Amino acid sequence: MRTKSGDLAILLAVVDTGGFSAAAESLDIQVARVSRAVSKVESQLGVTILNRTTRRIELTDEGRQFVESVRVSLMQLQQAEEDIISRGELPKGRLRVDAASPFVFHQLVPLVQAFHQAYPDIELELTSNEGFVDLLEKKADLAIRIGALSDSTLHARPLGRSPLYIVAAPEYLSKRGIPDKSSELALHDTIGFVGPKTLNDWPLKGFSHLEPMMSSSNGETVRQLALAGNGIACLSGFMVKKDIAEGRLIPLLESEKFSKPGREQVNAVYYKSSSVAKRISAFIDFIQPKLTL
């Protein structure tokens, strides 16, 4: 083997962070060391892996194929090391989980304490983003995604489905009345999403795309607006089931609703060759039966 794993890891950091300085910062090493490592790999292989300009770096065609193979190989090597070291032990180390903020608030936060008690050596790090994130860019090991999946480089474990509900607060309905059919929504104040626009396609028969009276980029904000009596909203069950059960929100137009499986599916996604597979499996196995979707 001509190259060393340490140099290859630095090369991957350059690719993932988009630059030599950013890679040095993420690895807490000097930029000169990053530059030497990349140059050494290219020299040993006799091929240019990165095209450098003053503004950015780009992978060559040969470099792109090489980097993807290296990524898989290094992950497998790290996994093999962890497997032999941790044999017979509980999983340990950092686990970075990303999900939309409403899912973090309503589903993950209530489970964190019990998960920590079950796996005290896993350092759980939760981040929230409202859209689909690049796991590498956000340095996430695992993401919870609601909706259809398209990235074939990711492994997905289904967590279940979260039905959609059309809801409004009793305060709003007492003032404006209860719509009996979807066509009457035009007479009401509606609350939707800034984007993506597919979130404003409500699952109602004979109902087309909604242009909401007010909107937000954050599902929890939409929920809070509905709870405060500002109008009618369409939200996932994992956010509003408890509100419905306790009477804070009233489900509407149930007879006109239909299922939208592509939007209701909840998946845990991660790289197929992830080096933190044991921690990921432990987390998914723990939360799945406890989720209230």
Side-chain angles (χ1 to χ4, degrees):
M1 183 172 170
R2 298 182 182 182
T3 56
K4 294 183 178 180
S5 60
D7 293 334
L8 295 174
I10 292 174
L11 171 63
L12 286 184
V14 173
V15 173
D16 293 342
T17 61
F20 286 70
S21 296
E25 183 177 353
S26 69
L27 297 173
D28 195 23
I29 60 177
Q30 294 181 340
V31 176
R33 182 180 171 189
V34 174
S35 180
R36 284 197 303 271
V38 174
S39 297
K40 186 177 179 181
V41 171
E42 290 181 321
S43 175
Q44 290 168 329
L45 296 176
V47 66
T48 300
I49 296 174
L50 297 175
N51 285 326
R52 305 151 174 85
T53 68
T54 55
R55 293 187 176 182
R56 61 179 181 175
I57 62 166
E58 289 183 347
L59 282 166
T60 62
D61 290 341
E62 297 85 356
R64 187 172 294 105
Q65 183 177 358
F66 177 71
V67 163
E68 290 311 308
S69 296
V70 165
R71 188 186 305 283
V72 172
S73 299
L74 288 182
M75 284 182 173
Q76 290 175 337
L77 177 60
Q78 184 176 350
Q79 185 63 55
E81 290 177 344
E82 289 192 4
D83 285 346
I84 196 167
I85 292 171
S86 63
R87 185 169 295 177
E89 297 180 359
L90 288 174
K92 62 177 64 177
R94 180 179 300 177
L95 179 65
R96 297 166 294 191
V97 180
D98 187 273
S101 54
F103 199 91
V104 173
F105 297 152
H106 294 279
Q107 298 296 317
L108 299 185
V109 168
L111 302 178
V112 166
Q113 186 175 21
F115 178 76
H116 178 65
Q117 290 174 347
Y119 297 97
D121 294 325
I122 292 182
E123 304 164 23
L124 187 62
E125 183 178 300
L126 295 176
T127 60
S128 58
N129 291 276
E130 302 318 308
F132 284 5
V133 302
D134 183 307
L135 297 187
L136 289 176
E137 181 183 344
K138 297 298 181 180
K139 297 182 180 179
D141 302 309
L142 169 70
I144 309 297
R145 291 185 175 174
I146 293 92
L149 299 176
S150 59
D151 193 337
S152 62
T153 64
L154 296 175
H155 182 74
R157 274 188 57 180
L159 298 178
R161 284 175 55 188
S162 185
L164 296 169
Y165 290 89
I166 314 297
V167 294
E171 175 190 356
Y172 172 85
L173 296 173
S174 66
K175 294 178 181 177
R176 301 292 298 275
I178 299 175
D180 293 321
K181 49 189 176 180
S182 59
S183 59
E184 295 180 7
L185 287 174
L187 305 175
H188 285 266
D189 294 334
T190 51
I191 310 168
F193 290 83
V194 174
K197 296 300 182 183
T198 53
L199 296 180
N200 294 326
D201 294 336
W202 290 10
L204 294 169
K205 298 173 184 175
F207 187 80
S208 58
H209 180 75
L210 174 78
E211 291 297 336
M213 298 289 291
M214 63 185 73
S215 57
S216 172
S217 62
N218 182 285
E220 181 59 21
T221 301
V222 173
R223 172 178 170 269
Q224 292 294 335
L225 287 169
L227 286 168
N230 288 287
I232 301 174
C234 177
L235 292 166
S236 296
F238 72 80
M239 297 176 61
V240 298
K241 273 188 175 180
K242 188 175 181 180
D243 295 324
I244 292 172
E246 298 179 0
R248 290 188 294 271
L249 291 173
I250 307 299
L252 306 172
L253 303 170
E254 290 292 284
S255 63
E256 294 197 31
K257 273 178 53 183
F258 63 90
S259 178
K260 296 194 76 171
R263 183 175 163 187
E264 296 173 356
Q265 185 64 48
V266 182
N267 290 287
V269 298
Y270 52 95
Y271 279 103
K272 294 176 180 178
S273 54
S274 173
S275 61
V276 294
K278 282 193 172 183
R279 297 193 286 278
I280 289 172
S281 295
F283 184 77
I284 297 174
D285 291 344
F286 184 88
I287 69 168
Q288 185 167 16
K290 299 175 179 64
L291 297 175
T292 54
L293 302 179

